[in-house]
Amino acid sequence: MEWTRLRVLALEPGETYGFACGDAEWIVLPLSGGCEVRCRGAAPDPAPQTPAGLGLPAGLDDARGRPDPASPAFEARGFGGSAPAVEPHVFELRGRNRVFGGPTDFAYVPRDAHVEVTARHGGGRFALAGARCATRLPPRYGPAEAVAVELRGAGQCSRQVNNFAAAGPTGFECDRLIAVEVLTPGGNWSSYPPHKHDEHRPGEESRLEEIYYFEIAPHGDTPGLGYQRVTPSPAGKTDILTEVRTGEAVLIPDGWHGPSMAAPGHDMYYLNVMAGPDTGGPRQWLIRDHPDHGWIRGSWEGQDVDPRLPFPRAGAEDHR
């Protein structure tokens, strides 16, 4: 993918994963368990910077984005060497037991920084959602209590959206990254009607590629499953109909995407990571519904939202 980034970590208690942010901003999002996030070399830009080609910044070696000790920028950015030590920003993330257990707190870390994620007792799984960007913003903590929870649709199109890094004046500030969580009760259709955001049409549609990362609740010992559809649009030829299970992702550079179908008895979670080129204005999530299916929105009037929402459900078990 050109603009979006996603890594999912499974860490044992006390285990640390370190990475260089490179040319991307990142959000560390606990999926299960809590962690400590340490961020170094994160001084914000006095003004937006646009490096040539938006490739790996100076001071990072190969495609893995590791610090390069041979580069002068290695010392200047506080990655090590003989330069004065840079005091890290440290964020303690409480996390959650599982993705269906409610919104979580999270940490934002900027481009060109170096980050370490250390799992707390019990270990856990952590998503790193990133977007290639130009501006270095300050590292910040996002409290779970500030995450706006929205119920969309009605009837069998009901779903819940945790807008932890949505675009807009009330969202969490990022340079290019847009990220939300969507939770869908088993048997429902989500991400519906099919929609797209693959062309820049001011005031009408944003150009954003997207990653869907899935976790599907099991039923007893039976693993969960669901399905994802993407159909070609005028902007591209992406054509996908695939079964999805926990830990799998679908990449959507273009196309009408939806529905995301949760099999009956298996609640569906997906993390949406979106980003696109800088078109000279604020980041926006503007979509166009598929002309053959957009009418479904009008049918929701008078229907109730699925009573199984919101997550977490009262009295439900909350296993890690």
Side-chain angles (χ1 to χ4, degrees), residues 158-246:
S158 301
R159 61 272 202 181
Q160 172 180 331
V161 183
N162 296 338
N163 290 302
F164 69 93
T170 61
F172 188 86
E173 183 186 9
C174 300
D175 184 27
R176 305 310 309 164
L177 176 64
I178 300 173
V180 301
E181 301 178 303
V182 182
L183 300 94
T184 307
N188 286 6
W189 278 26
S190 192
S191 197
Y192 196 74
H195 58 281
K196 77 181 189 79
H197 39 70
D198 55 14
E199 297 178 280
H200 176 55
R201 296 169 176 256
E204 182 181 0
E205 181 181 355
S206 306
R207 182 185 167 195
L208 300 167
E209 64 183 27
E210 186 164 15
I211 299 173
Y212 276 56
Y213 166 77
F214 291 90
E215 299 210 353
I216 316 291
H219 182 77
D221 295 331
T222 303
L225 77 162
Y227 296 88
Q228 177 67 43
R229 183 71 171 116
V230 184
T231 53
S233 73
K237 299 181 179 179
T238 303
D239 192 349
I240 299 170
L241 174 58
T242 185
E243 182 176 293
V244 290
R245 295 178 179 268
T246 292

Side-chain angles (χ1 to χ4, degrees), residues 41-162:
D45 288 336
Q49 61 176 15
T50 306
L54 274 173
L56 285 173
L60 301 182
D61 70 5
D62 61 31
R64 289 168 290 183
R66 300 176 303 180
D68 178 6
S71 168
F74 183 86
E75 293 184 0
R77 290 199 173 109
F79 288 126
S82 59
V86 175
E87 290 295 324
H89 297 265
V90 180
F91 305 105
E92 294 288 344
L93 302 187
R94 181 173 67 252
R96 55 189 166 184
N97 287 339
R98 59 175 188 156
V99 294
F100 296 102
T104 180
D105 53 354
F106 59 92
Y108 172 92
V109 292
R111 60 163 293 150
D112 300 327
H114 186 79
V115 179
E116 293 181 343
V117 180
T118 302
R120 298 171 61 187
H121 54 82
R125 291 177 300 103
F126 310 95
L128 307 180
R132 184 178 164 196
C133 69
T135 302
R136 188 166 54 238
L137 300 176
R140 280 160 291 140
Y141 174 78
E145 297 76 16
V147 175
V149 175
E150 174 187 2
L151 300 185
R152 291 184 188 167
Q156 289 185 297
C157 291
S158 301
R159 61 272 202 181
Q160 172 180 331
V161 183
N162 296 338

